Amino acid sequence: MPLVMHVDMDSFYASVELRRRPDLRGRPMFVGGATRGVVLSATYEARAYGVKSGMPTTTARRLCPQAVVVPPDFDAYAATSRGVFEIFETVSAGVEAASIDEAFCDIEGALLQYGSPRQVGEQVRALVADEQGITCTVGIAGSKFVAKLASAQSKPDGLRVVADDDIVSFLHPLPVEAMWGVGEATAAKLHRLGLRTVADLAYVPRTTLQRAFGT
């Protein structure tokens, strides 16, 4: 059986900036333009005010006027990304980049060295923290879909292993919005059908979904 590890850096650009600006730790901060453009990455302190990636800077400043705005340094992010991916390659011969700050890794072969999926994940998290000075979240499962959901549900700085026997109990309580590929428009349609959790979706007749979304 395949074993997939999804690793996602926590607030990547913002975390790289905090590494060299430790005075900003614990404070609302986001990376982006000071007066125009969009938010590229925000600390969790800024997210508590509703600031999120892709949001216009003007909106972010209105939501959180006390936030410190840091201009982006893409060279620093690229260098950190290279270091992070080198770490992934120490535990996996099959690393698939999903973006500059996340990847899927085939870790089936790593079990011989590390003993268990959790130990592989903890090794990667420790190396990223020690060598790059930032945190990451890890999800491990038998498929990319479940591994990515596991990491998303464990942020920030967490680890979740979903065994095959636990997939249904893990997935069913999740809101439909948590599913990979379900955006705001699709979620709104599902809500209008009374479908709010993955369990709701699992038990609805396929014909109902076909009428709502087409074949």
Side-chain angles (χ1 to χ4, degrees):
M1 293 291 291
L3 191 59
V4 180
M5 177 175 67
H6 179 254
V7 190
D8 195 3
M9 301 301 110
D10 299 319
S11 301
F12 181 55
Y13 293 174
S15 293
V16 174
E17 297 299 341
L18 290 177
R19 185 178 62 189
R20 57 186 175 185
R21 293 281 305 275
D23 57 300
L24 295 180
R25 292 189 182 279
R27 299 172 59 185
M29 181 270 278
F30 65 84
V31 177
T35 57
R36 54 194 303 183
V38 299
V39 175
L40 299 176
S41 180
T43 61
Y44 286 89
E45 290 81 6
R47 292 184 188 191
Y49 290 86
V51 178
K52 57 185 179 180
S53 298
M55 172 182 287
T57 296
T58 51
T59 303
R61 294 297 294 268
R62 186 169 63 252
L63 290 171
C64 188
Q66 70 271 40
V68 178
V69 185
V70 177
D73 181 348
F74 293 108
D75 289 340
Y77 310 148
T80 304
S81 177
R82 286 193 295 271
V84 166
F85 274 79
E86 288 173 2
I87 291 170
F88 299 161
E89 290 166 358
T90 66
V91 300
S92 174
V95 178
E96 178 186 341
S99 68
I100 190 174
D101 65 342
E102 67 173 314
F104 294 97
C105 305
D106 177 357
I107 61 168
E108 188 175 6
L111 298 182
L112 293 175
Q113 179 176 356
Y114 296 100
S116 73
R118 178 168 294 277
Q119 288 173 308
V120 177
E122 292 291 8
Q123 172 73 1
V124 167
R125 282 165 32 79
L127 289 173
V128 169
D130 291 345
E131 296 183 11
Q132 298 300 324
I134 60 177
T135 64
C136 64
T137 299
V138 171
I140 300 175
S143 69
K144 292 165 62 176
F145 176 79
V146 178
K148 185 175 176 69
L149 284 176
S151 66
Q153 296 302 309
S154 304
K155 280 189 163 290
D157 195 18
L159 185 153
R160 177 74 182 263
V161 179
V162 181
D164 289 345
D165 292 344
D166 298 329
I167 290 176
V168 172
S169 62
F170 167 68
L171 290 178
H172 276 198
L174 298 180
V176 290
E177 294 91 333
M179 293 184 65
W180 195 2
V182 175
E184 292 183 6
T186 300
K189 281 187 176 182
L190 292 170
H191 289 171
R192 286 195 292 271
L193 293 171
L195 307 176
R196 298 192 172 274
T197 68
V198 175
D200 294 336
L201 188 60
Y203 294 119
V204 72
R206 180 178 296 184
T207 55
T208 301
L209 296 176
Q210 288 174 330
R211 285 196 297 270
F213 296 95
T215 56

